Amino acid sequence: MLRLLIPFVVLLLAVVGAVVMDRPRPRADFVFINRGDVTTLDLQRMSWQQDLRVARMIFEGLVRTDIFTAEFEARPGVAERWETSADGLVWTFYFRPDAKWTNGELVKPSDFVFSWRRGLLPDLASDYFSFFALIKGGRGFFEWRNGQLEEYAARASGARSQAAADGLWDEAVARFEEMVGVVADDEARTLRVTLGHRCPYFLDVMGFACLYPVYPPLVRQYERPDPMTGRLIAEHGWTKPPYLVSNGAFMVTRWRFKRDLWLEQNPHYWDRASLSLRTIMMPTIDDPNAQVLAFQTGAVDYLTEATPAYRGDLLAEKLAFYEEHREEYEALKAQGLDQFEIDRRLPNDPRAHIHAVPSFGTYFYNFNCRDVLPDGRDNPFKDRRVRRAFAMVIDKASIVEDVRRLTEPVARSLVPRGSIGGYTPPTGIACVSDFAEGSPERAAWIGEALGLLAEAGYPDPARFPTVELLFNKDSGHDLVATSIARDWERYLGVSVVLAMREIKVVKADLQNHNYMTARAGWYADYGDPTTFLDLNRTGDGNNDRDYSNPVYDGLLDRAAAEADAAARLGLLAEAERIVVEEDFPLVPLFHYVTLMMFDAHRVGGISPHPRNEDNVYEVDVLTDGLGSNVARVLPVTPAARAPEPTAAGAGATP
Amino acid sequence: MIAMIVRRLLLMPVILVVIFTTTLTLAWAIPGNPLQRGEGRRPQPEVAQAMLAQYNLDNYWTFYWSYLDSVTGLKHVRQTLNGTRARRAETARQEGQAAAERYVFDMGPSLHYVDRRVNEVVGSALPVSITLGALAMLIALVTGVAAGVVGAVRPNGVADVSTLMVALIGISMPSFVVGTGLLVVFSVWLKALPVARWGTPQDMILPAVTLSLPFAAYIARLTRMGMIEQLGTDYIRTARAKGASEVSIRLRHALKNAFLPVLSYLGPATAYAMTGSFVVERVFNVPGMGQHFVSGVQNKDLFLIMGVVLVYATMLILFNLVVDVMYRWVDPRIEQ
């Protein structure tokens, strides 16, 4: 009979063993949930928001962006000062004497050259190649290297060896120095960057984490040319502690896959005095409900994106809380305080811990602009009158109020209003929900849309080809798609089929232009309208619509050459106007809102700026006696979410 | 017995290759480019093509053979024998480079978590899954067997009906309902246990209990049926006749035989509890293997899918083997 106990004993030993092996650490000063586990800490290969967020905490670039200024100003980082030539093409950065890596070594100008070379190599496939290509000769070097690799791959196998690959690499390094406009002087501690063309947002890009430096002596150890292809093969063993060397405010002390990432202050960080957290922990919690529960039980201080299915209800409770304190709330709002500061001055209430913050992104629908679909069918959306008619009858108000319920503002332009200093996006056109239900104006508006279809050769909408609408199910895209399909069927009388696909398929179909209409969205990378407008440039890698208009491209080119900042933004606004008022390769539906959770009475250092970026190393727990314990605020709330001017009737004819 | 073990172990590679081929064929058919991300800018087309080639993702058979080559350890053995490994290590040392991480059974890089190799992913997730599964099976065995024995004392009595009811609920309630319910009661209302953490024994209680429920219920029913059947047999009547105590009859004589069906259920059940607990892992945020099944497919992370499937298949085969060995050990009649 005793034998029967054996499985019990074995299981018990396994459990006891596991518990003994795994000792928990005490709670960190600040615990926050990122969007998911970090996929990579190799700066030049980054693309996901969660990676960039951690990168900003552990690495530092030439400049840091101050998220508590309306214009997202650049503040000294590794460079203590910089100057630019009169034509704006040559930038010289002067390195601070105390910028150090976590191992105590000085951060050298040549470290940046090494890192940026990685960004310009086709071997490593940086998603943000276009940022590195701002540097003079960058694109040329990329193309040269591609040609060199092609030539190598075409050689007979006898002519390919480790020595040959090494020679190829040495040649590439020499070529980089010749071609690319970046010169480091480690003695004088200066870095001189020459741009290919004038770039008013260059400093903004320098604050972007992909352009921060990696530690060359470490990274070099993990990179070698492959004898078969000649390409540089990059291993990633160096991105994990204890090997990782970084130069930011914090350093990674432990990174357990899909469990947690622990950060401590970098003992060699030059601005250590400004930090008010000693340790930060980032648990990986993937389930949205578990994330909210972890926040509500106090295990987590900050949830960067709350996405449970009931998020609309959480937000409704917050609005109810504001309603209870209506007078106080209105008074504080009238003072121009930022939304977190308003919460801080109202009584503390758990319902107020959710925050709807404007995001630097737009949700839109794509129209395929090709003449013929990949399967050979004629594409009705090649005609801009058709695209306009379909854009006119989308009930945008219903999408944000009834479907999304996240207080997202209706969009008529691609660039969110007020997100970029000095730039006024075009007014755009109205949509059916701007006219009262049953009003003659609405009837006239719909009649105008039908008239456009008739002009385009579809007098009888019932004979319009069946419209295919491509989307993926996640995040409620299915609900938006259903709502739009209903509008098109109801107002235009066309028939619509919903093509719901898995995200990877949607992405592939978009890239191959294998769709008629499709759901899409875009989050900006830097503070300039081109971050949105390049999407519609002829031949751009992200031009899923295959839209091409020489006038539009010409305006972008002229803007790139324009020296006067205001005139340049004017040209860009005109370009955007063509897209959202005339040609409609896409129709903007709403600007994103991010729902975050934290107790504003306890946590400071998070900014509600519409560019929606946080620097977690700047966070201050206001009740812990460490740091200043005074929350920074945005000076004046940007007019980002001021109601858009009504566009009813504007630009009524194409 | 030894012959049986040897035969089964020899069969194992054949089964694994069949599983590998089937899974790879299915995974290959998932539409979409594995290197395409859900967000961010796209790499240049020529770069995207070169990246596919670098991972052998541009051709099914190249991938098939290269993966098989490295996962079976053949590549490692070959490179060790022909001295490539030693030469590489020497060059790396001379040039001040880190020796590349190389595993004997190399399951390749993760395509989504580019800083990780699949061996690392499995290496960090498997111990967690084993702990959770073992704890859950322990709870299931103790409660399930106890409930079955108690229920069989008086079939259709109050105790029997109530344990059967609980068992029925345990089997039919999906674990995301049970899990969320337990979380709300014990963590949110009573604040007695932590949410979404893993490491200390307290963290393990709720997920283990949730995971154990369906197994406990099944074990309870198996034990009860076995007990009722055994209690009606001749040898029990003989034991009663010679004056053995009722406790001794039930626990020493009847349970021993009634436990056999539970034992044969234990093999696949343990393997399942240790790797197939995706829902429980998600609700309680347990960093185990189950999540990688799902995220691997979602991200079309071919290396991860193959690695996880092969590890699971190996575990399943081994657990069944262990159970068969124990079975013969507990019940010598099977040997003939």
Side-chain angles (χ1 to χ4, degrees):
Chain A
M1 185 65 210
L2 277 178
R3 286 173 177 180
L4 287 184
L5 289 176
I6 287 171
F8 293 83
V9 174
V10 171
L11 291 178
L12 195 64
L13 284 179
V15 171
V16 169
V19 170
V20 169
M21 301 258 288
D22 203 3
R23 281 210 189 81
R25 293 181 170 192
R27 191 188 198 278
D29 287 346
F30 189 68
V31 180
F32 80 101
I33 298 179
N34 211 338
R35 289 178 63 202
D37 197 5
V38 166
T39 64
T40 179
L41 286 179
D42 181 344
L43 294 171
Q44 280 78 44
R45 285 200 68 175
M46 285 189 177
S47 150
W48 296 88
Q49 286 303 320
Q50 62 266 34
D51 298 5
L52 294 165
R53 176 176 278 124
V54 173
R56 288 196 296 273
M57 299 163 71
I58 62 172
F59 288 96
E60 187 173 76
L62 294 170
V63 302
R64 309 187 283 179
T65 31
D66 188 346
I67 56 175
F68 286 98
T69 52
E71 311 268 303
F72 255 48
E73 281 162 31
R75 292 281 151 84
V78 168
E80 59 183 351
R81 63 194 173 88
W82 52 86
E83 57 196 33
T84 166
S85 63
D87 59 3
L89 289 181
V90 183
W91 292 73
T92 311
F93 294 90
Y94 298 89
F95 280 44
R96 65 175 67 250
D98 51 352
K100 285 182 181 159
W101 295 99
T102 43
N103 60 6
E105 294 289 319
L106 272 180
V107 179
K108 294 188 295 227
S110 57
D111 298 342
F112 279 84
V113 177
F114 175 88
S115 309
W116 294 356
R117 189 175 67 211
R118 299 180 85 235
L120 281 170
L121 281 172
D123 318 38
L124 300 183
S126 175
D127 282 11
Y128 284 98
F129 164 76
S130 59
F131 286 180
F132 298 97
L134 292 172
I135 304 168
K136 189 179 177 197
R139 197 171 288 277
F141 171 75
F142 178 91
E143 279 156 14
W144 174 84
R145 172 74 176 166
N146 251 338
Q148 186 205 29
L149 289 173
E150 266 170 38
E151 183 271 322
Y152 184 85
R155 285 185 200 175
S157 61
R160 286 180 287 172
S161 64
Q162 189 63 56
D166 288 347
L168 204 72
W169 173 243
D170 291 341
E171 193 191 344
V173 171
R175 192 70 190 221
F176 179 86
E177 278 175 26
E178 278 168 36
M179 289 179 80
V180 183
V182 51
V183 180
D185 185 340
D186 287 351
E187 287 299 309
R189 293 188 65 71
T190 57
L191 183 72
R192 203 176 74 234
V193 186
T194 310
L195 302 183
H197 55 81
R198 180 183 277 279
C199 176
Y201 52 91
F202 180 63
L203 275 185
D204 210 284
V205 169
M206 288 298 107
F208 192 79
C210 287
L211 290 104
Y212 293 1
V214 293
Y215 185 59
L218 174 71
V219 177
R220 205 177 278 133
Q221 293 175 23
Y222 291 83
E223 295 183 345
R224 61 180 172 80
D226 177 34
M228 285 305 292
T229 60
R231 310 171 71 82
L232 199 66
I233 300 286
E235 304 259 351
H236 283 100
W238 60 272
T239 57
K240 280 155 270 178
Y243 310 109
L244 181 63
V245 175
S246 59
N247 71 329
F250 282 80
M251 56 191 242
V252 181
T253 55
R254 185 195 214 182
W255 181 15
R256 295 187 298 179
F257 183 61
K258 282 274 178 186
R259 295 182 71 170
D260 46 23
L261 186 113
W262 291 76
L263 302 147
E264 266 171 37
Q265 284 186 7
N266 168 4
H268 299 285
Y269 184 55
W270 63 272
D271 196 16
R272 212 175 159 196
S274 73
L275 305 179
S276 43
L277 297 172
R278 291 163 305 191
T279 51
I280 300 174
M281 199 268 266
M282 188 194 102
T284 304
I285 302 181
D286 289 329
D287 183 60
N289 300 330
Q291 291 177 344
V292 173
L293 281 179
F295 174 79
Q296 287 173 338
T297 53
V300 166
D301 302 306
Y302 171 37
L303 176 53
T304 57
E305 272 178 47
T307 54
Y310 52 90
R311 59 192 189 271
D313 301 318
L314 289 176
L315 203 56
E317 283 181 28
K318 170 136 190 191
L319 297 178
F321 164 77
Y322 279 155
E323 197 53 45
E324 284 167 27
H325 301 271
R326 180 152 201 92
E327 267 177 40
E328 249 178 303
Y329 172 73
E330 294 293 347
L332 291 167
K333 208 175 167 194
Q335 291 177 37
L337 293 174
D338 82 32
Q339 64 183 93
F340 300 154
E341 188 59 21
I342 292 177
D343 286 353
R344 227 167 258 138
R345 299 201 187 177
L346 291 171
N348 200 353
D349 187 305
R351 287 176 296 170
H353 293 174
I354 189 159
H355 310 276
V357 184
S359 277
F360 201 20
T362 304
Y363 190 108
F364 52 88
Y365 260 58
N366 280 330
F367 294 119
N368 193 346
C369 300
R370 286 197 160 181
D371 288 346
V372 180
L373 296 173
D375 57 11
R377 279 179 299 160
D378 188 54
N379 177 18
F381 291 97
K382 65 179 183 241
D383 189 318
R384 67 175 181 174
R385 290 168 296 193
V386 172
R387 302 197 292 262
R388 186 185 181 94
F390 275 73
M392 285 168 75
V393 297
I394 293 177
D395 188 339
K396 296 184 191 174
S398 163
I399 291 172
V400 297
E401 285 160 21
D402 308 328
V403 179
R404 303 275 301 179
R405 298 200 302 138
L406 298 176
T407 69
E408 285 153 327
V410 162
R412 293 202 186 89
S413 58
L414 202 47
V415 182
R417 203 157 284 277
S419 58
I420 297 167
Y423 182 74
T424 313
T427 324
I429 65 157
C431 70
V432 69
S433 48
D434 291 321
F435 308 95
E437 180 92 50
S439 66
E441 289 84 4
R442 180 181 274 214
W445 184 254
I446 295 165
E448 194 183 315
L450 288 169
L452 284 169
L453 282 190
E455 265 180 55
Y458 302 99
D460 178 9
R463 301 186 60 183
F464 193 88
T466 302
V467 178
E468 286 160 15
L469 200 163
L470 176 71
F471 63 99
N472 56 311
K473 184 175 186 296
D474 331 63
S475 329
H477 298 312
D478 50 341
L479 301 175
V480 176
T482 316
S483 173
I484 288 178
R486 187 205 57 200
D487 291 342
W488 288 344
E489 286 178 340
R490 179 171 159 202
Y491 297 120
L492 296 181
V494 298
S495 62
V496 182
V497 291
L498 298 176
M500 185 165 82
R501 304 272 183 274
E502 191 250 338
I503 177 74
K504 289 229 177 214
V505 182
V506 170
K507 288 274 166 182
D509 278 349
L510 284 173
Q511 189 166 11
N512 301 326
H513 314 289
N514 185 23
Y515 70 96
M516 281 191 192
T517 64
R519 159 269 134 176
W522 191 253
Y523 279 95
D525 303 311
Y526 54 92
D528 189 82
T530 50
T531 188
F532 286 102
L533 302 185
D534 280 345
L535 284 182
N536 290 313
R537 199 189 255 279
T538 305
D540 186 272
N542 293 290
N543 186 347
D544 294 335
R545 299 144 290 280
D546 213 8
Y547 169 72
S548 175
N549 181 345
V551 180
Y552 181 83
D553 296 344
L555 282 166
L556 293 189
D557 289 341
R558 272 172 62 202
E562 177 61 59
D564 179 65
R568 178 177 170 276
L569 291 177
L571 288 169
L572 293 175
E574 172 58 17
E576 186 179 357
R577 197 192 64 76
I578 293 178
V579 166
V580 299
E581 289 182 14
E582 286 181 8
D583 283 357
F584 299 96
L586 49 82
V587 47
L589 298 180
F590 55 84
H591 301 299
Y592 286 109
V593 152
T594 302
L595 292 191
M596 46 174 78
M597 294 185 89
F598 67 92
D599 175 359
H601 287 258
R602 230 188 118 241
V603 174
I606 298 169
S607 166
H609 194 286
R611 278 190 52 185
N612 192 227
E613 202 167 283
D614 59 20
N615 290 327
V616 182
Y617 65 88
E618 289 181 46
V619 163
D620 187 0
V621 176
L622 303 172
T623 51
D624 65 356
L626 295 167
S628 70
N629 289 336
V630 178
R632 289 187 70 194
V633 292
L634 268 179
V636 178
T637 312
R641 295 305 169 221
E644 304 221 349
T646 168
T653 45
Chain B
M1 181 119 108
I2 305 287
M4 188 268 292
I5 296 176
V6 171
R7 200 170 56 239
R8 295 274 288 268
L9 286 179
L10 283 177
L11 208 59
M12 195 161 107
V14 181
I15 301 173
L16 285 178
V17 167
V18 172
I19 291 174
F20 167 74
T21 311
T22 318
T23 315
L24 181 62
T25 310
L26 290 173
W28 197 270
I30 304 172
N33 175 353
L35 297 179
Q36 174 117 53
R37 276 176 293 272
E39 64 180 54
R41 288 159 184 257
R42 296 201 181 102
Q44 314 267 328
E46 61 268 44
V47 171
Q49 190 53 41
M51 293 296 277
L52 278 179
Q54 188 179 322
Y55 291 115
N56 292 322
L57 291 168
D58 49 348
N59 182 299
Y60 176 87
W61 288 110
T62 325
F63 185 87
Y64 185 94
W65 292 116
S66 67
Y67 188 90
L68 215 52
D69 189 30
S70 63
V71 82
T72 50
L74 283 177
K75 190 173 174 184
H76 185 91
V77 172
R78 200 174 56 242
Q79 292 189 342
T80 310
L81 288 182
N82 67 17
T84 315
R85 282 173 50 75
R87 260 202 317 280
R88 279 222 189 111
E90 180 55 24
T91 327
R93 203 184 52 78
Q94 280 170 3
E95 292 176 5
Q97 290 200 329
E101 303 162 59
R102 282 286 169 262
Y103 301 90
V104 180
F105 304 103
D106 187 359
M107 296 188 268
S110 163
L111 297 175
H112 182 69
Y113 294 99
V114 294
D115 283 5
R116 308 276 174 179
R117 298 195 73 83
V118 174
N119 292 57
E120 263 182 274
V121 172
V122 171
S124 79
L126 194 58
V128 173
S129 285
I130 289 179
T131 311
L132 175 62
L135 196 58
M137 287 315 290
L138 193 62
I139 296 173
L141 269 174
V142 173
T143 55
V145 170
V149 171
V150 170
V153 171
R154 197 169 291 118
N156 300 322
V158 179
D160 187 31
V161 172
S162 49
T163 51
L164 269 182
M165 289 286 284
V166 174
L168 192 66
I169 293 172
I171 289 178
S172 24
M173 281 258 266
S175 42
F176 59 85
V177 174
V178 178
T180 313
L182 290 175
L183 261 184
V184 168
V185 172
F186 288 96
S187 301
V188 180
W189 292 350
L190 301 177
K191 299 207 184 305
L193 292 167
V195 178
R197 237 181 40 186
W198 184 258
T200 66
Q202 296 97 288
D203 305 339
M204 299 176 189
I205 296 174
L206 290 184
V209 168
T210 310
L211 183 58
S212 75
L213 272 183
F215 300 111
Y218 202 77
I219 291 173
R221 294 181 60 163
L222 284 177
T223 314
R224 174 183 173 273
M225 275 191 302
M227 285 295 280
I228 291 174
E229 193 190 312
Q230 294 300 327
L231 287 174
T233 51
D234 291 348
Y235 75 94
I236 295 291
R237 205 179 312 139
T238 313
R240 286 214 173 96
K242 75 172 187 188
S245 77
E246 197 60 15
V247 174
S248 153
I249 288 172
R250 281 172 200 277
L251 295 186
R252 285 196 49 177
H253 298 279
L255 180 58
K256 197 170 172 178
N257 286 314
F259 190 70
L260 288 176
V262 177
L263 188 59
S264 56
Y265 168 67
L266 222 51
T270 310
Y272 180 75
M274 286 182 178
T275 49
S277 52
F278 168 69
V279 176
V280 175
E281 284 180 16
R282 180 133 181 120
V283 171
F284 294 98
N285 199 48
V286 178
M289 290 272 279
Q291 56 176 332
H292 299 307
F293 271 111
V294 181
S295 73
V297 174
Q298 275 171 352
N299 296 322
K300 205 184 174 190
D301 194 338
L302 276 178
F303 291 96
L304 188 58
I305 300 175
M306 298 316 301
V308 171
V309 166
L310 287 179
V311 168
Y312 181 42
T314 313
M315 277 177 68
L316 199 62
I317 295 170
L318 288 180
F319 274 115
N320 277 325
L321 179 58
V322 168
V323 163
D324 284 354
V325 169
M326 281 183 59
Y327 213 90
R328 279 153 206 255
W329 194 28
V330 172
D331 185 1
R333 283 173 304 179
I334 311 254
E335 190 69 44
Q336 283 91 48

